[in-house]
Amino acid sequence: MKLLVIEDDKTTLEYIKKGFVEQGNIVDTAENGPDGLFFATSNSYDLVVLDRMLPKMDGLALLSAMRAANIKTPVIILSALGHVDERIKGLQAGGDDYLTKPFSFQELYIRASILVERHRTSSHKNGLATELTIDNLVMDLVGHKVVRDGKELTIQPKEFQLLRYLLEHQGQVISRTLLFESVWDYHFDPKTNVIDVHVAKLRKKLEENGQPQLIHTVRGAGYVVRTI
Amino acid sequence: MWLERFKVFTRTSIWRFTLIFTLIVLLICSSILALVYQFTVGEQKRQIATQVTIAAQGFSDLSHSPSMTKADFQTAIQQRIDRSGAIILVLKNDDNVIGNLSSLPKNLAKFPSLQHFPIAVVNHLGETTVEIVLGTNLETRFGSLSIALFDNNYQVLESRFITASVGALLFALIVTLISGFLLNQRVLSRVKQIGELTANVKAGRLKSRLPISSKQDEFDMIADQINQMLDEIDDLINSVAQVTDNVAHDLRTPLSRIRISVEDSLTAFDENSADAQWRIALLDEIDQIIDTFNAMLELSRLEKGVPKSTFKTVNIETLCEDVIDLATPLAEEKNQKLTLNITIDEESSLSRLKGEPNLLFRAIFNVVDNAIKYTQAAGNIALTCHISSQQTDIVVCDNGPGIAKEHYDAVFRRLYQVDSSRQGDGFGLGLPIVKAIVELHGGSISMSSSNPGLTVSITLKH
C-alpha cells in the first residue's frame, strides 16, 4: 500500500517509514503541515499517518482541510495528547483512528492494515457476510452460532464478538488494545491481562476435543487467527 | 432537630457572652431604678413617716406636759381631727374611745416604729373603700393613742413604679436576648462558613474559598487570611504537580526514542532467541514507565477538568454490564463470585446521567479490578448500581481483607501505597484517577468497611 506520513520529529518519522518500507509498502513523508497538505491533496494514498502537532499548521487543521477537499483517505492521528477529549476532537475532525505516543510500530501497523482493509471493502461494497469460516469452524453471524467440526460451541456474547473480530481479520495481527476497543467499544488501555484472560477462555472452547489451535499469540504484538 | 440546633446554639461562647451581658444590663437597670425609687417613692414614704412621727411626738410631748388634763388632751385630739381630715386619731382608754376611726387593728406597732394597715373608709358617695394608712400606737397616761396618716399617694406611686420597673426590666431582658440571638446567628453563620471550608479543604477540595463581605470586619480579615493561606497551599501543590508533569512530559520523548530503538533492533532476531527475549523484557519495562508517566499526566489533566462538551448521556446500566462482562473471566480465574445488581427507580432516570462513557467505564472497571485483585480466592465481589431520579449510586463491595480505616482518604492520593509490601503492584495512580474521574462528573467517592472487606461507593449526581 501507499502511505503518507506527516510527522515533524525525525526519529519518529524514520522509525515509521522504516517499519512500513520493511513490510513492502511505499512511504511518502512530510515534516510540516503545509507540505503534508500538499502531498495529501495532490497524490492518492491508501492511508495518511498524521502527527497532531505540526509546525506551521496544526494536524487537526490539516485534517479538516483534507476532508473539506473531499479526500476520504483513512487517517490515523498520532498524538502525545492521550486524553479522552483530545481523542474525541481528533475523531470529530475526520480522523479514523487515534494513537497516543509513544506507540509500538506493531500497534500502528495493525491499525493501519485494518483501516486500509476496511476502506477497501467499504468502497467495493461487497455486502455483509452472514458466515465466517476458518478450518473446520463456521461462525453463523445471523443465528449467533459457532460450530466446530460439526459441534455447536456454547459461547458468550462477548466471546462471540471477539471471535468475529479475529475471524474478520484472519491472518492479521490484532493488538490487545485494538481487540478491547473493537469488542467493548471503550477507549483506554485496561493495563491488566484482562484481554489475555478472555482470549484464553475463548481459545479453550475452540480447542475442545483436541481440535487444532486457531488463535495464536504474537509476542509483543497481540493475536492472530490462522490455521497452523 | 430543632432541639439539637438549640443545644448547639446554647453551647456557643457568644450565647454565654449574651447571657452575661444581659445580666449586667439587668443589674445596671435595677440599680438605676432603685436609685430613682429612693429619690421619688422613698422620699414620699419618708415624708409621711416623718409626719406621723412628728404628730406622734407632738401628742407624746403633750401628754407628758404636767399641766395637761385628760379632758384637754381629748379636746386637743378632737381639734386636730377637725382641722385636718387626713389624720386618723383614736384614743382608747378604759372609759371610752374617741377619734375618727371605729376599729383599729390589734397589736399595732408601738411608737416609734410605724406600720402600714388597711382601713375601711366611706367616701362622700357612700361607697366603702379600703385605704392604706401608716400609723403607730402611742401609750399615754390618758390611754392608748393610735395615730395614722393616709398613705394612698405613695401606694399608687409605688405600684406604678413597680409596674413600670418590671416592664422596663422585661423589655431590657427581651431586647438584649433578641439582639444577642441575632448577633449570635450572624457570628455563628460566619464561623460555620469557616468550618465548612476547612471540611472542604480536608476532603481535598482545595479550590474552596471563603466569601468576603464589603464590611471589612474581623471575620473578613480572618477570611482573607485563610483565603490567602489556601492560595499559597494551592500554588505550592500546583507547582509540585507542574514539576512532575514537566518531568513526565520531558522524559516521555527520550523514552519513546529508546523504545523505538529497542523495538527496531528486535526485528534482527528470531522471536525465541535470548537476544529477542531480553529486548522484549526491556520493552515491557519501558512500557511500564511510559504508562506511569502517562497516568500522571492524565491525572493532572483530569484534575484540571476536561471540557464538559465531550459529555453525553451515559447508559450506566449497559456500562455496568460491560464492566462485569470484562471482569468476569478475571474473577473466574480466582474462583470468585462476581455479581451485578441494578435497580432503577423509574425508567426515565436511566437517561439522566451525563458524562464521558470511556472515563466512567474505566473508573468502575478499575474499582472492580482492584476488588478482584485484593480479594482472596473464592471470595465474593458485588457491583450494585442504584439509579434514582436524583443520582446514580455505584457500590463495589467485597469480602476480602479490606484496608485499615486510616488509609481510606489517603489511598486516593497520588502514589500512595497502603502496604509497603505491595510495592510494585500497581503505581498508586489507579484510585487517584478514579477519584479524578468521579469528581470531574461532579460526583463523590468514599470507602467503608463491609465487615470484613472493602466497600467503595461512587455517587454521581444527575
CSV table of all heavy atoms in Angstrom, one decimal, chain B residues 167-192:
chain,number,residue,atom,x,y,z
B,167,GLY,N,-41.8,46.3,83.8
B,167,GLY,CA,-41.9,46.4,82.4
B,167,GLY,C,-40.6,46.8,81.7
B,167,GLY,O,-40.2,46.1,80.8
B,168,ALA,N,-39.9,47.8,82.3
B,168,ALA,CA,-38.7,48.2,81.7
B,168,ALA,C,-37.6,47.1,81.8
B,168,ALA,O,-36.9,46.9,80.8
B,168,ALA,CB,-38.1,49.4,82.5
B,169,LEU,N,-37.6,46.4,82.9
B,169,LEU,CA,-36.6,45.3,83.0
B,169,LEU,C,-36.9,44.2,82.0
B,169,LEU,O,-36.0,43.7,81.4
B,169,LEU,CB,-36.6,44.8,84.5
B,169,LEU,CG,-35.9,45.7,85.5
B,169,LEU,CD1,-36.0,45.1,86.9
B,169,LEU,CD2,-34.5,45.9,85.1
B,170,LEU,N,-38.2,43.8,81.9
B,170,LEU,CA,-38.5,42.8,81.0
B,170,LEU,C,-38.2,43.2,79.6
B,170,LEU,O,-37.6,42.4,78.8
B,170,LEU,CB,-40.1,42.5,81.0
B,170,LEU,CG,-40.5,41.4,82.0
B,170,LEU,CD1,-42.0,41.3,82.1
B,170,LEU,CD2,-39.9,40.1,81.7
B,171,PHE,N,-38.5,44.5,79.3
B,171,PHE,CA,-38.2,45.0,77.9
B,171,PHE,C,-36.6,44.9,77.7
B,171,PHE,O,-36.2,44.4,76.6
B,171,PHE,CB,-38.6,46.4,77.8
B,171,PHE,CG,-38.4,47.0,76.5
B,171,PHE,CD1,-39.2,46.6,75.4
B,171,PHE,CD2,-37.4,48.0,76.3
B,171,PHE,CE1,-39.0,47.1,74.1
B,171,PHE,CE2,-37.3,48.6,75.0
B,171,PHE,CZ,-38.0,48.1,73.9
B,172,ALA,N,-35.9,45.3,78.7
B,172,ALA,CA,-34.4,45.3,78.5
B,172,ALA,C,-34.0,43.8,78.3
B,172,ALA,O,-33.1,43.5,77.5
B,172,ALA,CB,-33.7,45.8,79.8
B,173,LEU,N,-34.6,42.9,79.1
B,173,LEU,CA,-34.2,41.5,79.0
B,173,LEU,C,-34.5,40.9,77.6
B,173,LEU,O,-33.6,40.3,77.0
B,173,LEU,CB,-35.0,40.7,80.0
B,173,LEU,CG,-34.7,39.2,80.1
B,173,LEU,CD1,-33.4,39.0,80.8
B,173,LEU,CD2,-35.8,38.4,80.8
B,174,ILE,N,-35.7,41.2,77.1
B,174,ILE,CA,-36.1,40.7,75.8
B,174,ILE,C,-35.2,41.3,74.7
B,174,ILE,O,-34.7,40.6,73.8
B,174,ILE,CB,-37.6,41.0,75.5
B,174,ILE,CG1,-38.4,40.1,76.4
B,174,ILE,CG2,-37.9,40.8,74.1
B,174,ILE,CD1,-39.9,40.5,76.5
B,175,VAL,N,-35.0,42.6,74.8
B,175,VAL,CA,-34.2,43.3,73.8
B,175,VAL,C,-32.8,42.7,73.7
B,175,VAL,O,-32.2,42.4,72.7
B,175,VAL,CB,-34.2,44.8,74.0
B,175,VAL,CG1,-33.1,45.5,73.1
B,175,VAL,CG2,-35.5,45.4,73.6
B,176,THR,N,-32.2,42.6,74.9
B,176,THR,CA,-30.8,42.1,74.9
B,176,THR,C,-30.8,40.6,74.4
B,176,THR,O,-29.9,40.3,73.7
B,176,THR,CB,-30.2,42.2,76.3
B,176,THR,OG1,-31.1,41.7,77.3
B,176,THR,CG2,-29.7,43.6,76.6
B,177,LEU,N,-31.7,39.8,74.9
B,177,LEU,CA,-31.7,38.4,74.4
B,177,LEU,C,-31.9,38.3,72.9
B,177,LEU,O,-31.2,37.6,72.2
B,177,LEU,CB,-32.8,37.6,75.1
B,177,LEU,CG,-32.5,37.2,76.6
B,177,LEU,CD1,-33.6,36.4,77.2
B,177,LEU,CD2,-31.2,36.5,76.7
B,178,ILE,N,-32.9,39.1,72.4
B,178,ILE,CA,-33.1,39.0,70.9
B,178,ILE,C,-31.9,39.5,70.2
B,178,ILE,O,-31.4,38.9,69.2
B,178,ILE,CB,-34.3,39.9,70.5
B,178,ILE,CG1,-35.6,39.1,71.0
B,178,ILE,CG2,-34.4,40.1,69.0
B,178,ILE,CD1,-36.9,39.8,70.8
B,179,SER,N,-31.3,40.7,70.6
B,179,SER,CA,-30.2,41.2,69.9
B,179,SER,C,-29.0,40.2,70.0
B,179,SER,O,-28.2,40.0,69.1
B,179,SER,CB,-29.8,42.6,70.4
B,179,SER,OG,-29.6,42.6,71.8
B,180,GLY,N,-28.9,39.6,71.2
B,180,GLY,CA,-27.8,38.6,71.4
B,180,GLY,C,-28.0,37.4,70.5
B,180,GLY,O,-27.1,36.9,69.9
B,181,PHE,N,-29.3,37.0,70.4
B,181,PHE,CA,-29.6,35.9,69.5
B,181,PHE,C,-29.3,36.2,68.0
B,181,PHE,O,-28.6,35.4,67.3
B,181,PHE,CB,-31.1,35.6,69.6
B,181,PHE,CG,-31.6,34.5,68.7
B,181,PHE,CD1,-31.4,33.1,69.1
B,181,PHE,CD2,-32.2,34.7,67.5
B,181,PHE,CE1,-31.9,32.1,68.3
B,181,PHE,CE2,-32.7,33.7,66.7
B,181,PHE,CZ,-32.5,32.4,67.1
B,182,LEU,N,-29.7,37.4,67.6
B,182,LEU,CA,-29.4,37.8,66.2
B,182,LEU,C,-27.9,37.9,66.0
B,182,LEU,O,-27.4,37.4,65.0
B,182,LEU,CB,-30.1,39.1,65.9
B,182,LEU,CG,-31.6,39.0,65.8
B,182,LEU,CD1,-32.2,40.4,65.6
B,182,LEU,CD2,-32.1,38.1,64.8
B,183,LEU,N,-27.2,38.5,66.9
B,183,LEU,CA,-25.8,38.6,66.8
B,183,LEU,C,-25.1,37.2,66.7
B,183,LEU,O,-24.3,37.0,65.9
B,183,LEU,CB,-25.3,39.3,68.1
B,183,LEU,CG,-23.9,39.9,68.0
B,183,LEU,CD1,-23.9,41.1,67.1
B,183,LEU,CD2,-23.4,40.2,69.4
B,184,ASN,N,-25.6,36.4,67.6
B,184,ASN,CA,-25.1,35.0,67.7
B,184,ASN,C,-25.3,34.3,66.3
B,184,ASN,O,-24.4,33.7,65.8
B,184,ASN,CB,-25.9,34.3,68.7
B,184,ASN,CG,-25.1,33.1,69.3
B,184,ASN,OD1,-24.1,32.8,68.8
B,184,ASN,ND2,-25.6,32.5,70.3
B,185,GLN,N,-26.5,34.5,65.7
B,185,GLN,CA,-26.8,33.8,64.5
B,185,GLN,C,-25.8,34.3,63.4
B,185,GLN,O,-25.2,33.5,62.7
B,185,GLN,CB,-28.2,34.2,64.0
B,185,GLN,CG,-29.3,33.5,64.7
B,185,GLN,CD,-29.3,32.0,64.4
B,185,GLN,OE1,-28.5,31.2,65.0
B,185,GLN,NE2,-30.1,31.5,63.5
B,186,ARG,N,-25.5,35.6,63.4
B,186,ARG,CA,-24.6,36.2,62.4
B,186,ARG,C,-23.2,35.6,62.6
B,186,ARG,O,-22.6,35.2,61.6
B,186,ARG,CB,-24.6,37.7,62.5
B,186,ARG,CG,-25.8,38.3,62.0
B,186,ARG,CD,-25.6,39.8,61.8
B,186,ARG,NE,-24.4,39.9,61.0
B,186,ARG,CZ,-24.3,40.9,60.0
B,186,ARG,NH1,-25.2,41.7,59.8
B,186,ARG,NH2,-23.2,40.9,59.3
B,187,VAL,N,-22.8,35.7,63.8
B,187,VAL,CA,-21.4,35.2,64.1
B,187,VAL,C,-21.3,33.7,63.8
B,187,VAL,O,-20.4,33.3,63.2
B,187,VAL,CB,-21.0,35.5,65.6
B,187,VAL,CG1,-19.7,34.9,65.9
B,187,VAL,CG2,-21.0,37.0,65.8
B,188,LEU,N,-22.4,33.0,64.3
B,188,LEU,CA,-22.4,31.6,64.1
B,188,LEU,C,-22.3,31.2,62.6
B,188,LEU,O,-21.6,30.3,62.2
B,188,LEU,CB,-23.6,31.0,64.7
B,188,LEU,CG,-23.5,29.6,65.4
B,188,LEU,CD1,-22.5,29.7,66.5
B,188,LEU,CD2,-24.8,29.2,65.9
B,189,SER,N,-23.0,32.0,61.8
B,189,SER,CA,-23.1,31.7,60.3
B,189,SER,C,-21.7,31.9,59.7
B,189,SER,O,-21.2,31.1,58.9
B,189,SER,CB,-24.1,32.5,59.6
B,189,SER,OG,-23.7,33.8,59.5
B,190,ARG,N,-21.0,32.9,60.2
B,190,ARG,CA,-19.6,33.2,59.7
B,190,ARG,C,-18.7,32.0,60.2
B,190,ARG,O,-17.9,31.6,59.4
B,190,ARG,CB,-19.1,34.5,60.2
B,190,ARG,CG,-19.9,35.7,59.9
B,190,ARG,CD,-19.9,36.0,58.4
B,190,ARG,NE,-18.6,36.6,57.9
B,190,ARG,CZ,-18.4,37.9,57.9
B,190,ARG,NH1,-19.3,38.7,58.3
B,190,ARG,NH2,-17.2,38.3,57.4
B,191,VAL,N,-18.8,31.7,61.4
B,191,VAL,CA,-18.0,30.6,62.0
B,191,VAL,C,-18.3,29.3,61.2
B,191,VAL,O,-17.4,28.6,60.9
B,191,VAL,CB,-18.2,30.4,63.5
B,191,VAL,CG1,-17.5,29.2,64.0
B,191,VAL,CG2,-17.7,31.6,64.3
B,192,LYS,N,-19.6,29.1,60.9
B,192,LYS,CA,-20.0,27.9,60.2
B,192,LYS,C,-19.3,27.9,58.8
B,192,LYS,O,-18.9,26.8,58.4
B,192,LYS,CB,-21.5,27.9,60.1
B,192,LYS,CG,-22.1,26.5,60.4
B,192,LYS,CD,-23.6,26.6,60.1
B,192,LYS,CE,-24.4,26.2,61.4
B,192,LYS,NZ,-25.8,26.5,61.2
